[in-house]
Amino acid sequence: MQEIELKFLVPESRLKGLMRQAKVKSSQVTPLAAHYYDTPDQQLAQAGIGLRIRKEGDTWVQTIKAGGDGIAARLEHNAVLDDKQVQEMLDNNELMPDLTIYADTPVTSALADFKLKKLAKNLTRLYVTDVERTTRLLTEDNSDETDSCIEMAYDHGEIVHGTDDSQRKTIQEIEFELVSGDIDFLFTTAKTWCKRYKLCLSTVTKAENGGLLINGQKHSPAVGADLSQLDVNKNSSMPAFIRAAVHNCLLQILPNSSAIVAGSIDHEHILQTRIGIDRMQVALTAFAEFSDEINPEWLPILKQTSTLLDNYYQLAHIEAYIEPELQALGAPTVEWTTDIEDIKITPINTLQANDFQLTLLELIAFTMSDPSIEPQADKLALDKLAKILSKQYKKCLKADKDTDEVIDTEIVSDDVDVDTDISEDNQDEALLCDHLKALRYISEFSAPLLSKKKAKKKTKRWLKRLIKAQIALEQRNDENQYQQLYALKSATDANALYGAGWFAAMLTDDPSYIETRLAKFKDSSTFW
């Protein structure tokens, strides 16, 4: 069985209002005591599988969950256990899952990489949860159709370490699970509650939270783009292709944004969220004609979110990495803490913003909608990709031609004023960087369809050269921005003149490194 649900974190400021809606006369309150199992080295967790035995009211249920078909979908199998047998095992401290029940079930495929007998011997109880769940049903009446029904569940409690009950982690989340009917009702309802109570999407399961607890971590590591999860092929229709691309971007955005709204200030979470959003913007722009369901309001919100994240990331990166590097070279200390604290919109504020959370919900709904009912459903994405790539490629070549004069001008003088607004001289270079980045993402989305078996090495080589050119130019663009930040800082802190001068010198260095990579990229024949 596949469950379709959306999970949100609940802000403290909205909790009382939310509870008034959750605890109505028809709602039920159920204590949930769950035991979670895995191997000592957490092989199940690494495979995205959760295994538990939970007391739900007066009934003991064994549940296994694994990845499902879609962002909000999870494969789930529940088996009611014999209460007397469970109690006997509990009394003897021998409660363990029975893996034999998964033979010839829908979850068999999820366990295909495991030898069940060996797995059963290695299982151990890693942690338990002590949760109070408040549930109520939300229904939509349709006169001509089957009623749609959602179960809303608010969970509050703790995860407790399996061998050290002094180690605990608080759980406070709300879930909306589709019980029956139309999936659109699930997203419409979730959006209503999200608007009203400022809820934030979270992909972190209780099993994942338990794993973090026993590993002594607050948040899971940052997640980068994983193109192996891009589900496209040569027969993908235009609507199916754009949904797959958006889905792939969400797989990068959601885990990282979930960590940030839960309190992470890790630079890598911020960076990977921003990269995921940038990839999303490219996909929605380049493949806009592939679907009539794309909302034009998504792009401005995504762009604003990316910009705000980048503004914070630049200062945080300077403080954490650049300052120590400069000081190792003999530079005087420059204090950036106040500048970071003065940023009014931090990453957590940025991602908690209601318009961004609603956009994420709409994007998830878009990926789970049926591409076969769109007008372009009979048109192959393959037939359009070469034209899109060629158009973006020409933009890169033009921007590169415009940039050559700028680089030649910069070589003329070794004496650069640290107060010079270098960004004005490098607008063409920054534009080329943006075009190369867009070409990279479009190419990565398109390569599985356009790359022929015999030409895979050619495609890989071309992408490698493109990425090297893009990264080299992006590094130069970053140095330009850091130079400006140090120059601005020097107005109030003379110590920042060292950093401003150092980056100005970096920008006047021999640009042959970048030129070589751009030349190799331009000399390579395209793969489409």
PDB file of all heavy atoms in Angstrom, residues 130-154:
ATOM      1  N   ASP A 130       7.730   8.204  22.122  1.00  0.00           N
ATOM      2  CA  ASP A 130       6.601   8.336  23.046  1.00  0.00           C
ATOM      3  C   ASP A 130       5.813   9.565  22.602  1.00  0.00           C
ATOM      4  O   ASP A 130       6.191  10.701  22.895  1.00  0.00           O
ATOM      5  CB  ASP A 130       7.121   8.510  24.478  1.00  0.00           C
ATOM      6  CG  ASP A 130       5.987   8.571  25.497  1.00  0.00           C
ATOM      7  OD1 ASP A 130       4.836   8.290  25.119  1.00  0.00           O
ATOM      8  OD2 ASP A 130       6.258   8.927  26.669  1.00  0.00           O
ATOM      9  N   VAL A 131       4.746   9.306  21.853  1.00  0.00           N
ATOM     10  CA  VAL A 131       4.029  10.391  21.167  1.00  0.00           C
ATOM     11  C   VAL A 131       2.549  10.334  21.470  1.00  0.00           C
ATOM     12  O   VAL A 131       1.951   9.257  21.549  1.00  0.00           O
ATOM     13  CB  VAL A 131       4.252  10.290  19.632  1.00  0.00           C
ATOM     14  CG1 VAL A 131       3.372  11.287  18.892  1.00  0.00           C
ATOM     15  CG2 VAL A 131       5.716  10.509  19.287  1.00  0.00           C
ATOM     16  N   GLU A 132       1.954  11.499  21.619  1.00  0.00           N
ATOM     17  CA  GLU A 132       0.493  11.622  21.684  1.00  0.00           C
ATOM     18  C   GLU A 132       0.014  12.172  20.354  1.00  0.00           C
ATOM     19  O   GLU A 132       0.465  13.228  19.913  1.00  0.00           O
ATOM     20  CB  GLU A 132       0.079  12.568  22.815  1.00  0.00           C
ATOM     21  CG  GLU A 132      -1.440  12.697  22.940  1.00  0.00           C
ATOM     22  CD  GLU A 132      -1.851  13.661  24.038  1.00  0.00           C
ATOM     23  OE1 GLU A 132      -1.912  14.881  23.755  1.00  0.00           O
ATOM     24  OE2 GLU A 132      -2.105  13.208  25.166  1.00  0.00           O
ATOM     25  N   ARG A 133      -0.865  11.423  19.713  1.00  0.00           N
ATOM     26  CA  ARG A 133      -1.362  11.824  18.389  1.00  0.00           C
ATOM     27  C   ARG A 133      -2.819  12.267  18.478  1.00  0.00           C
ATOM     28  O   ARG A 133      -3.666  11.544  19.016  1.00  0.00           O
ATOM     29  CB  ARG A 133      -1.222  10.672  17.398  1.00  0.00           C
ATOM     30  CG  ARG A 133      -1.982  10.882  16.082  1.00  0.00           C
ATOM     31  CD  ARG A 133      -1.580   9.892  15.025  1.00  0.00           C
ATOM     32  NE  ARG A 133      -0.232  10.186  14.522  1.00  0.00           N
ATOM     33  CZ  ARG A 133       0.353   9.508  13.529  1.00  0.00           C
ATOM     34  NH1 ARG A 133      -0.286   8.489  12.953  1.00  0.00           N
ATOM     35  NH2 ARG A 133       1.556   9.839  13.129  1.00  0.00           N
ATOM     36  N   THR A 134      -3.075  13.449  17.941  1.00  0.00           N
ATOM     37  CA  THR A 134      -4.436  13.972  17.846  1.00  0.00           C
ATOM     38  C   THR A 134      -4.859  13.932  16.383  1.00  0.00           C
ATOM     39  O   THR A 134      -4.199  14.533  15.528  1.00  0.00           O
ATOM     40  CB  THR A 134      -4.519  15.424  18.359  1.00  0.00           C
ATOM     41  OG1 THR A 134      -4.060  15.468  19.708  1.00  0.00           O
ATOM     42  CG2 THR A 134      -5.942  15.940  18.287  1.00  0.00           C
ATOM     43  N   THR A 135      -5.932  13.199  16.086  1.00  0.00           N
ATOM     44  CA  THR A 135      -6.371  13.055  14.697  1.00  0.00           C
ATOM     45  C   THR A 135      -7.805  13.523  14.519  1.00  0.00           C
ATOM     46  O   THR A 135      -8.631  13.444  15.429  1.00  0.00           O
ATOM     47  CB  THR A 135      -6.273  11.587  14.232  1.00  0.00           C
ATOM     48  OG1 THR A 135      -7.108  10.773  15.073  1.00  0.00           O
ATOM     49  CG2 THR A 135      -4.855  11.089  14.287  1.00  0.00           C
ATOM     50  N   ARG A 136      -8.087  14.021  13.327  1.00  0.00           N
ATOM     51  CA  ARG A 136      -9.467  14.308  12.914  1.00  0.00           C
ATOM     52  C   ARG A 136      -9.543  14.129  11.405  1.00  0.00           C
ATOM     53  O   ARG A 136      -8.542  14.244  10.693  1.00  0.00           O
ATOM     54  CB  ARG A 136      -9.910  15.712  13.306  1.00  0.00           C
ATOM     55  CG  ARG A 136      -9.111  16.842  12.679  1.00  0.00           C
ATOM     56  CD  ARG A 136      -9.703  18.229  12.949  1.00  0.00           C
ATOM     57  NE  ARG A 136     -10.928  18.457  12.192  1.00  0.00           N
ATOM     58  CZ  ARG A 136     -11.433  19.678  11.972  1.00  0.00           C
ATOM     59  NH1 ARG A 136     -10.824  20.756  12.462  1.00  0.00           N
ATOM     60  NH2 ARG A 136     -12.538  19.818  11.279  1.00  0.00           N
ATOM     61  N   LEU A 137     -10.734  13.820  10.931  1.00  0.00           N
ATOM     62  CA  LEU A 137     -10.945  13.633   9.504  1.00  0.00           C
ATOM     63  C   LEU A 137     -11.479  14.902   8.879  1.00  0.00           C
ATOM     64  O   LEU A 137     -12.353  15.578   9.444  1.00  0.00           O
ATOM     65  CB  LEU A 137     -11.911  12.475   9.250  1.00  0.00           C
ATOM     66  CG  LEU A 137     -11.421  11.081   9.667  1.00  0.00           C
ATOM     67  CD1 LEU A 137     -12.500  10.044   9.391  1.00  0.00           C
ATOM     68  CD2 LEU A 137     -10.124  10.711   8.948  1.00  0.00           C
ATOM     69  N   LEU A 138     -10.937  15.239   7.721  1.00  0.00           N
ATOM     70  CA  LEU A 138     -11.391  16.394   6.948  1.00  0.00           C
ATOM     71  C   LEU A 138     -11.950  15.861   5.647  1.00  0.00           C
ATOM     72  O   LEU A 138     -11.272  15.107   4.932  1.00  0.00           O
ATOM     73  CB  LEU A 138     -10.225  17.347   6.676  1.00  0.00           C
ATOM     74  CG  LEU A 138      -9.415  17.787   7.898  1.00  0.00           C
ATOM     75  CD1 LEU A 138      -8.177  18.562   7.466  1.00  0.00           C
ATOM     76  CD2 LEU A 138     -10.269  18.643   8.828  1.00  0.00           C
ATOM     77  N   THR A 139     -13.181  16.219   5.331  1.00  0.00           N
ATOM     78  CA  THR A 139     -13.830  15.669   4.139  1.00  0.00           C
ATOM     79  C   THR A 139     -14.286  16.761   3.198  1.00  0.00           C
ATOM     80  O   THR A 139     -14.543  17.897   3.596  1.00  0.00           O
ATOM     81  CB  THR A 139     -15.037  14.795   4.523  1.00  0.00           C
ATOM     82  OG1 THR A 139     -15.978  15.600   5.257  1.00  0.00           O
ATOM     83  CG2 THR A 139     -14.598  13.618   5.366  1.00  0.00           C
ATOM     84  N   GLU A 140     -14.384  16.381   1.939  1.00  0.00           N
ATOM     85  CA  GLU A 140     -14.902  17.267   0.899  1.00  0.00           C
ATOM     86  C   GLU A 140     -16.091  16.569   0.260  1.00  0.00           C
ATOM     87  O   GLU A 140     -15.966  15.447  -0.243  1.00  0.00           O
ATOM     88  CB  GLU A 140     -13.829  17.552  -0.154  1.00  0.00           C
ATOM     89  CG  GLU A 140     -14.329  18.422  -1.305  1.00  0.00           C
ATOM     90  CD  GLU A 140     -13.302  18.523  -2.423  1.00  0.00           C
ATOM     91  OE1 GLU A 140     -12.764  17.466  -2.811  1.00  0.00           O
ATOM     92  OE2 GLU A 140     -13.051  19.630  -2.903  1.00  0.00           O
ATOM     93  N   ASP A 141     -17.229  17.203   0.285  1.00  0.00           N
ATOM     94  CA  ASP A 141     -18.428  16.587  -0.279  1.00  0.00           C
ATOM     95  C   ASP A 141     -18.560  16.941  -1.756  1.00  0.00           C
ATOM     96  O   ASP A 141     -18.579  18.115  -2.135  1.00  0.00           O
ATOM     97  CB  ASP A 141     -19.681  17.074   0.461  1.00  0.00           C
ATOM     98  CG  ASP A 141     -19.693  16.611   1.911  1.00  0.00           C
ATOM     99  OD1 ASP A 141     -19.162  15.522   2.161  1.00  0.00           O
ATOM    100  OD2 ASP A 141     -20.209  17.355   2.769  1.00  0.00           O
ATOM    101  N   ASN A 142     -18.619  15.930  -2.597  1.00  0.00           N
ATOM    102  CA  ASN A 142     -18.850  16.102  -4.028  1.00  0.00           C
ATOM    103  C   ASN A 142     -20.131  15.376  -4.395  1.00  0.00           C
ATOM    104  O   ASN A 142     -20.260  14.179  -4.148  1.00  0.00           O
ATOM    105  CB  ASN A 142     -17.686  15.531  -4.840  1.00  0.00           C
ATOM    106  CG  ASN A 142     -16.393  16.290  -4.568  1.00  0.00           C
ATOM    107  OD1 ASN A 142     -16.405  17.499  -4.449  1.00  0.00           O
ATOM    108  ND2 ASN A 142     -15.294  15.556  -4.465  1.00  0.00           N
ATOM    109  N   SER A 143     -21.070  16.099  -4.966  1.00  0.00           N
ATOM    110  CA  SER A 143     -22.372  15.512  -5.263  1.00  0.00           C
ATOM    111  C   SER A 143     -22.296  14.392  -6.299  1.00  0.00           C
ATOM    112  O   SER A 143     -23.021  13.413  -6.219  1.00  0.00           O
ATOM    113  CB  SER A 143     -23.326  16.605  -5.777  1.00  0.00           C
ATOM    114  OG  SER A 143     -22.765  17.250  -6.913  1.00  0.00           O
ATOM    115  N   ASP A 144     -21.368  14.532  -7.269  1.00  0.00           N
ATOM    116  CA  ASP A 144     -21.302  13.556  -8.351  1.00  0.00           C
ATOM    117  C   ASP A 144     -20.137  12.583  -8.222  1.00  0.00           C
ATOM    118  O   ASP A 144     -19.964  11.687  -9.038  1.00  0.00           O
ATOM    119  CB  ASP A 144     -21.189  14.276  -9.704  1.00  0.00           C
ATOM    120  CG  ASP A 144     -22.403  15.167  -9.953  1.00  0.00           C
ATOM    121  OD1 ASP A 144     -23.501  14.787  -9.518  1.00  0.00           O
ATOM    122  OD2 ASP A 144     -22.229  16.219 -10.582  1.00  0.00           O
ATOM    123  N   GLU A 145     -19.295  12.777  -7.211  1.00  0.00           N
ATOM    124  CA  GLU A 145     -18.110  11.948  -7.094  1.00  0.00           C
ATOM    125  C   GLU A 145     -17.986  11.374  -5.688  1.00  0.00           C
ATOM    126  O   GLU A 145     -18.700  11.756  -4.777  1.00  0.00           O
ATOM    127  CB  GLU A 145     -16.854  12.772  -7.414  1.00  0.00           C
ATOM    128  CG  GLU A 145     -16.856  13.387  -8.817  1.00  0.00           C
ATOM    129  CD  GLU A 145     -15.632  14.254  -9.049  1.00  0.00           C
ATOM    130  OE1 GLU A 145     -14.685  14.174  -8.237  1.00  0.00           O
ATOM    131  OE2 GLU A 145     -15.626  15.012 -10.032  1.00  0.00           O
ATOM    132  N   THR A 146     -17.052  10.455  -5.536  1.00  0.00           N
ATOM    133  CA  THR A 146     -16.769   9.889  -4.216  1.00  0.00           C
ATOM    134  C   THR A 146     -16.186  10.968  -3.318  1.00  0.00           C
ATOM    135  O   THR A 146     -15.353  11.768  -3.736  1.00  0.00           O
ATOM    136  CB  THR A 146     -15.763   8.728  -4.346  1.00  0.00           C
ATOM    137  OG1 THR A 146     -16.289   7.758  -5.244  1.00  0.00           O
ATOM    138  CG2 THR A 146     -15.511   8.090  -2.982  1.00  0.00           C
ATOM    139  N   ASP A 147     -16.629  11.001  -2.078  1.00  0.00           N
ATOM    140  CA  ASP A 147     -16.118  11.995  -1.142  1.00  0.00           C
ATOM    141  C   ASP A 147     -14.612  11.828  -0.958  1.00  0.00           C
ATOM    142  O   ASP A 147     -14.098  10.716  -0.870  1.00  0.00           O
ATOM    143  CB  ASP A 147     -16.800  11.848   0.224  1.00  0.00           C
ATOM    144  CG  ASP A 147     -18.258  12.248   0.169  1.00  0.00           C
ATOM    145  OD1 ASP A 147     -18.668  12.788  -0.869  1.00  0.00           O
ATOM    146  OD2 ASP A 147     -18.975  12.010   1.159  1.00  0.00           O
ATOM    147  N   SER A 148     -13.913  12.975  -0.907  1.00  0.00           N
ATOM    148  CA  SER A 148     -12.485  12.967  -0.612  1.00  0.00           C
ATOM    149  C   SER A 148     -12.304  13.104   0.883  1.00  0.00           C
ATOM    150  O   SER A 148     -13.008  13.887   1.539  1.00  0.00           O
ATOM    151  CB  SER A 148     -11.774  14.110  -1.343  1.00  0.00           C
ATOM    152  OG  SER A 148     -11.848  13.931  -2.738  1.00  0.00           O
ATOM    153  N   CYS A 149     -11.354  12.371   1.436  1.00  0.00           N
ATOM    154  CA  CYS A 149     -11.155  12.370   2.888  1.00  0.00           C
ATOM    155  C   CYS A 149      -9.660  12.425   3.221  1.00  0.00           C
ATOM    156  O   CYS A 149      -8.853  11.735   2.594  1.00  0.00           O
ATOM    157  CB  CYS A 149     -11.789  11.120   3.503  1.00  0.00           C
ATOM    158  SG  CYS A 149     -11.629  11.018   5.294  1.00  0.00           S
ATOM    159  N   ILE A 150      -9.332  13.253   4.190  1.00  0.00           N
ATOM    160  CA  ILE A 150      -7.956  13.402   4.664  1.00  0.00           C
ATOM    161  C   ILE A 150      -7.932  13.182   6.165  1.00  0.00           C
ATOM    162  O   ILE A 150      -8.824  13.646   6.886  1.00  0.00           O
ATOM    163  CB  ILE A 150      -7.414  14.818   4.356  1.00  0.00           C
ATOM    164  CG1 ILE A 150      -7.303  15.034   2.860  1.00  0.00           C
ATOM    165  CG2 ILE A 150      -6.063  15.053   5.037  1.00  0.00           C
ATOM    166  CD1 ILE A 150      -7.020  16.475   2.498  1.00  0.00           C
ATOM    167  N   GLU A 151      -6.892  12.498   6.636  1.00  0.00           N
ATOM    168  CA  GLU A 151      -6.673  12.411   8.076  1.00  0.00           C
ATOM    169  C   GLU A 151      -5.605  13.429   8.459  1.00  0.00           C
ATOM    170  O   GLU A 151      -4.492  13.396   7.938  1.00  0.00           O
ATOM    171  CB  GLU A 151      -6.211  11.018   8.505  1.00  0.00           C
ATOM    172  CG  GLU A 151      -6.008  10.930  10.021  1.00  0.00           C
ATOM    173  CD  GLU A 151      -5.454   9.607  10.482  1.00  0.00           C
ATOM    174  OE1 GLU A 151      -4.252   9.347  10.236  1.00  0.00           O
ATOM    175  OE2 GLU A 151      -6.212   8.827  11.082  1.00  0.00           O
ATOM    176  N   MET A 152      -5.990  14.344   9.343  1.00  0.00           N
ATOM    177  CA  MET A 152      -5.037  15.289   9.894  1.00  0.00           C
ATOM    178  C   MET A 152      -4.533  14.712  11.216  1.00  0.00           C
ATOM    179  O   MET A 152      -5.335  14.311  12.063  1.00  0.00           O
ATOM    180  CB  MET A 152      -5.694  16.642  10.135  1.00  0.00           C
ATOM    181  CG  MET A 152      -4.761  17.717  10.675  1.00  0.00           C
ATOM    182  SD  MET A 152      -5.477  18.618  12.050  1.00  0.00           S
ATOM    183  CE  MET A 152      -5.439  17.405  13.338  1.00  0.00           C
ATOM    184  N   ALA A 153      -3.212  14.641  11.395  1.00  0.00           N
ATOM    185  CA  ALA A 153      -2.642  14.082  12.622  1.00  0.00           C
ATOM    186  C   ALA A 153      -1.592  15.022  13.179  1.00  0.00           C
ATOM    187  O   ALA A 153      -0.616  15.349  12.498  1.00  0.00           O
ATOM    188  CB  ALA A 153      -2.027  12.713  12.347  1.00  0.00           C
ATOM    189  N   TYR A 154      -1.822  15.471  14.414  1.00  0.00           N
ATOM    190  CA  TYR A 154      -0.835  16.303  15.103  1.00  0.00           C
ATOM    191  C   TYR A 154      -0.112  15.439  16.128  1.00  0.00           C
ATOM    192  O   TYR A 154      -0.741  14.836  17.011  1.00  0.00           O
ATOM    193  CB  TYR A 154      -1.503  17.496  15.796  1.00  0.00           C
ATOM    194  CG  TYR A 154      -0.561  18.230  16.724  1.00  0.00           C
ATOM    195  CD1 TYR A 154       0.483  19.005  16.226  1.00  0.00           C
ATOM    196  CD2 TYR A 154      -0.707  18.129  18.111  1.00  0.00           C
ATOM    197  CE1 TYR A 154       1.360  19.660  17.078  1.00  0.00           C
ATOM    198  CE2 TYR A 154       0.161  18.791  18.970  1.00  0.00           C
ATOM    199  CZ  TYR A 154       1.200  19.545  18.446  1.00  0.00           C
ATOM    200  OH  TYR A 154       2.069  20.194  19.294  1.00  0.00           O
TER     201      TYR A 154
END
